[in-house]
């Protein structure tokens, strides 16, 4: 039987989702927990890898099992063996045709900046600091160029080899949140993302908000595919994979 | 010279503010950092202790020094020696009559609950989970009884010996925040707080919101001073000292 799980994790203490030779990974923790429950060495397939230090609210993954445990019982069973910074939110039966990666239609990421003169330990694990206020209107203007189907070759890091760098971004929202601390949240919803794409978009929009680059820079990067026109990759702590959407 | 500092800390890994025989404390970290900068063994006096695991956004403290370092330079100098989960936000010269504890006029705390069926590692270090939605209207009704000058003897834990258990709460606000996760925030502003008072108020309001107790229970607890009518002390992770206000 195929089981679909929705998982939240704080990425701070992990070397990303995918199993590696050295370092803790979310996948390893999940597979160890499954082994303790079922005695089976299942492989956990996610909707996509998240990098070292990146968080997830609703990462989706699947695995196969021959056990008789009812699918919905895996939630509490896995949580009993998982470390506190990884929590299964939901487990459910999945169609044999369901594949967490290949069936994924849309994903939503959020990158969060906060404005403060000094680091704030209450949020610094989940947000990246800027030391000047961001001009949201300029950022929104820049974001308009990103919407739609484009070649995002200029928004990915070398070292990633994919044939097709065309992706569709359905929506980009930039919202401010002003509780005790002023935050700027960049929500990006698309059909797929290149390596480091969200973090390069976030840092470039941030530099637009700081007045370091004009909003039109986004248009230039898309047209030229020139990675050097975009900003350095934003740190992982500000990034969170929020949701993954499926048709099946 | 007397220096006033405003400090943020994530309380998770500390046994509270005040120095103890065993365990890390915020005070010890601050005094160690001051010693490294000035060579002086200064005592850091806070507006009040925070308990083990409780956070602070704007704790205020003072210390005396004979060093010639300009007061505002202590912010970055201390942060260079402090662990990442403690950050000085501001340092400034203070009048000799200024005393972080005795001069404090008002403090604002915030206790945060979130509703989810499973723990959420992205917020569980800063918010406490409830597994049913809270009825905010009932909580607001209950909070009205708390406003004003009352004997709060029923909202403190035994083991605390103070002669006067009368305190004034100027304001209690209950707000919902519905981003990706539904949160209920209880803001309490008052002239002083008894031992565990905010955490007992928070848990009692939470039980009112869950329908386990009627809003009038607050009135009864104030009138009778009966601790047993109130709910068990809420866990420390949900509590944050937001601001301390002074006249001088």
């Amino acid at each position: 039987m195929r089981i679909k799980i929705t998982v939240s994790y704080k990425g701070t203490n992990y070397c990303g989702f995918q199993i590696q030779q050295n370092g803790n990974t979310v996948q390893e923790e999940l597979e160890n927990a499954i082994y303790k429950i079922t005695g089976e060495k299942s492989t956990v397939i996610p909707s996509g890898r998240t990098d070292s230090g990146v968080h997830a609210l609703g990462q989706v993954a699947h695995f196969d099992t021959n056990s008789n445990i009812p699918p919905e019982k895996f939630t509490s069973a896995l949580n009993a063996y998982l470390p506190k910074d990884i929590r299964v939110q939901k487990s459910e039966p999945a169609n044999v045709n369901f594949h967490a990666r290949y069936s994924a239609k849309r994903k939503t990421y959020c990158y969060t900046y906060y404005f403060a003169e000094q680091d704030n330990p209450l949020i610094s694990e989940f947000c990246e600091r800027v030391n000047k206020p961001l001009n949201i209107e300029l950022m929104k203007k820049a974001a308009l160029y990103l919407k739609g189907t484009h070649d995002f070759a200029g928004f990915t890091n070398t070292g990633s080899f994919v044939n097709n760098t065309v992706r569709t971004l359905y929506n980009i929202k930039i919202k401010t949140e002003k509780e005790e601390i002023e935050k700027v949240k960049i929500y990006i919803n698309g059909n797929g993302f290149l390596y480091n794409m969200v973090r390069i978009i976030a840092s470039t929009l941030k530099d637009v908000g700081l007045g370091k680059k004009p909003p039109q820079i986004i248009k230039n990067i898309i047209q030229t595919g020139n990675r050097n026109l975009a900003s350095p990759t934003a740190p992982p702590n500000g990034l969170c994979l929020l949701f993954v959407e499926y048709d099946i």
Side-chain angles (χ1 to χ4, degrees), chain A:
Chain A
M1 187 169 49
R2 183 152 289 189
I3 308 283
K4 175 186 177 187
I5 54 174
T6 306
V7 191
S8 303
Y9 49 85
K10 175 181 166 181
T12 314
N13 299 319
Y14 294 95
C15 298
F17 191 93
Q18 197 178 41
I19 284 183
Q20 298 198 348
Q21 283 288 85
N22 307 310
N24 292 333
T25 61
V26 178
Q27 186 185 355
E28 193 181 357
E29 296 287 356
L30 285 168
E31 292 182 3
N32 284 345
I34 293 167
Y35 180 73
K36 280 175 188 157
I37 297 164
T38 64
E40 297 168 338
K41 297 205 168 177
S42 301
T43 299
V44 173
I45 314 273
S47 71
R49 299 183 296 178
T50 51
D51 287 333
S52 181
V54 171
H55 317 289
L57 180 68
Q59 169 70 287
V60 174
H62 79 259
F63 63 92
D64 294 322
T65 175
N66 293 314
S67 86
N68 294 322
I69 299 165
E72 62 280 3
K73 292 283 179 198
F74 273 97
T75 302
S76 52
L78 288 169
N79 285 341
Y81 289 104
L82 285 165
K84 268 190 169 185
D85 49 9
I86 304 175
R87 289 288 103 173
V88 176
Q89 299 297 329
K90 198 178 180 184
S91 58
E92 52 197 310
N95 193 290
V96 279
N97 297 320
F98 175 82
H99 189 284
R101 183 170 171 199
Y102 301 127
S103 309
K105 291 289 177 230
R106 292 172 174 224
K107 283 186 198 176
T108 306
Y109 281 95
C110 180
Y111 198 96
T112 308
Y113 285 105
Y114 71 104
F115 163 54
E117 286 182 20
Q118 303 295 328
D119 281 349
N120 190 310
L122 300 183
I123 55 171
S124 56
E125 289 179 293
F126 303 99
C127 314
E128 182 62 16
R129 185 169 68 87
V130 286
N131 54 14
K132 285 178 187 165
L134 294 170
N135 183 325
I136 311 299
E137 295 314 315
L138 289 177
M139 294 173 74
K140 284 182 178 173
K141 211 171 161 186
L144 286 178
Y145 295 110
L146 290 163
K147 256 190 173 179
T149 303
H150 304 289
D151 186 337
F152 286 97
F155 290 100
T156 185
N157 281 330
T158 49
S160 57
F161 301 100
V162 284
N163 289 324
N164 183 358
T165 50
V166 173
R167 296 290 184 275
T168 300
L169 299 189
Y170 302 109
N171 207 359
I172 304 186
K173 265 196 260 181
I174 298 170
K175 283 169 69 177
T176 49
E177 205 181 281
K178 209 179 158 122
E179 282 287 315
E180 293 79 41
I181 299 150
E182 197 177 315
K183 293 180 191 170
V184 173
K185 292 184 163 191
I186 303 168
Y187 292 88
I188 306 186
N189 174 263
N191 70 347
F193 297 89
L194 303 169
Y195 181 58
N196 283 347
M197 179 171 150
V198 180
R199 287 160 62 182
I200 298 169
I201 288 176
S203 65
T204 308
L205 290 177
K206 178 218 32 164
D207 282 344
V208 168
L210 290 173
K212 290 184 182 174
K213 291 182 195 286
Q216 294 77 15
I217 192 80
I218 300 288
K219 200 179 167 185
N220 290 356
I221 302 165
I222 291 172
Q223 283 177 347
T224 62
N226 186 349
R227 170 69 183 90
N228 296 326
L229 293 177
S231 302
T233 310
N237 56 304
L239 185 60
C240 185
L241 169 59
L242 293 183
F243 312 110
V244 187
E245 294 165 71
Y246 295 90
D247 287 343
I248 58 165

